[in-house]
Amino acid sequence: VRLTPAGEALVGHAERILAVLGEARSEMAQLRREIAGELRVAAFPTIASAVLPETIKALRAAFPRLDVVLEEMEPLDGLAALGAWRTDVALIDDLAAPLAGQGDDKLELVPLAQDQLYALLPQAHALAGKRSLAMGELRGEAWAMDSTASAFGDVVIGLCRRAGYEPRVNARCTGFEMVAAMVAAGCSVSVVPGLRLLRPSPGLQAVRLRPGVRRQISAAYRRGERDHPAVAAFVRELVRTTTQLLGKKAA
């Protein structure tokens, strides 16, 4: 399906209209001088479970009339929802959405954290005692994949392919809990983000990948709403909470 020249012209006008509406929305909110109403947030599971409960808890205490509504979405879906005005803030990472915000004058990104990927092994695995390992060393292993996080699964499969093999998947799971159970039982291995390790699970050993694989996690919002009081308050608290929680992990 291709837009006609008239359709392309209309899209350009619509984008400018939406930007002006965003600025108007922010200005009206500033004039009320109260942080209140509904703020919609889209976030992928690892960052959502790691930092958003504490962020929302702190905001509820500070601004009782602000209602933060969270919806779990993969990064690309969150960006699409942001562009369609179905959410106000989207939490994304540059592995699942590698070009997000680059050269896009409609979005603004606020860096939150660098998250490193780890191989997840049973504690009794022969490689579990290593300080780091290469993806090639997991050739021939059976893999557990979180099928709900399709974008992250694609990243893991890509790492295997670059190491010269196709992963043999013996568990397509609908959440990290099942991935962890399969690995802990010695049935599979996997690759997980460091944020998954904030709450250690018994029977598992995380080993750094060599060379290291990192992802940048950011909060994205429409540029016209950079001064919206609720958006600004949420992003400030999100940065504070993320820094505090990940600082504890590093310590």
Side-chain angles (χ1 to χ4, degrees):
V1 178
R2 294 182 179 177
L3 290 174
T4 65
E8 291 177 352
L10 184 59
V11 167
H13 289 301
E15 289 177 346
R16 289 196 297 274
I17 291 168
L18 290 173
V20 171
L21 285 175
E23 293 170 1
R25 182 171 176 257
S26 296
E27 188 173 343
M28 294 302 101
Q30 291 177 62
L31 290 173
R32 287 198 300 270
R33 296 185 179 181
E34 182 180 20
I35 297 178
E38 182 178 274
L39 183 75
R40 300 160 298 174
V41 178
F44 58 95
T46 47
I47 191 70
S49 60
V51 302
L52 284 186
E54 290 299 319
T55 300
I56 294 172
K57 179 181 176 181
L59 286 169
R60 180 176 292 177
F63 310 109
R65 297 190 61 190
L66 178 63
D67 185 17
V68 179
V69 179
L70 171 63
E71 185 171 359
E72 186 178 304
M73 290 187 192
E74 288 301 303
L76 284 176
D77 295 330
L79 284 174
L82 192 61
W85 289 66
R86 292 188 290 109
T87 195
D88 301 305
V89 181
L91 273 60
I92 62 173
D93 75 81
D94 63 353
L95 286 182
L99 299 178
Q102 295 183 20
D104 190 338
D105 59 0
K106 298 184 292 296
L107 294 180
E108 188 152 334
L109 300 184
V110 177
L112 296 175
Q114 286 270 343
D115 190 21
Q116 184 159 337
L117 305 191
Y118 292 79
L120 193 66
L121 308 173
Q123 281 186 339
H125 196 282
L127 299 174
K130 299 192 70 171
R131 293 178 62 88
S132 65
L133 58 85
M135 288 294 293
E137 296 179 74
L138 298 175
R139 183 193 304 269
E141 299 283 353
W143 286 77
M145 295 283 189
D146 184 352
S147 59
T148 59
S150 57
F152 184 76
D154 290 344
V155 169
V156 175
I157 291 172
L159 291 173
C160 294
R161 288 173 177 167
R162 285 196 288 277
Y165 64 94
E166 191 73 22
R168 178 169 58 88
V169 179
N170 73 339
R172 299 188 186 279
C173 309
T174 56
F176 176 70
E177 292 77 10
M178 193 62 207
V179 171
M182 287 293 288
V183 175
C187 301
S188 313
V189 301
S190 194
V191 166
V192 297
L195 286 173
R196 285 290 189 193
L197 307 175
L198 287 173
R199 300 180 179 88
S201 301
L204 302 176
Q205 182 63 44
V207 181
R208 291 179 183 272
L209 293 178
R210 186 181 70 250
V213 181
R214 296 178 180 272
R215 61 177 180 172
Q216 174 66 54
I217 299 174
S218 304
Y221 55 89
R222 291 177 291 272
R223 192 174 294 273
E225 299 194 337
R226 68 171 68 183
D227 296 322
H228 191 289
V231 172
F234 175 81
V235 171
R236 279 196 306 270
E237 183 57 37
L238 180 63
V239 170
R240 189 196 68 80
T241 302
T242 303
T243 302
Q244 183 180 53
L245 290 175
L246 296 189
K248 285 181 180 179
K249 177 178 180 289

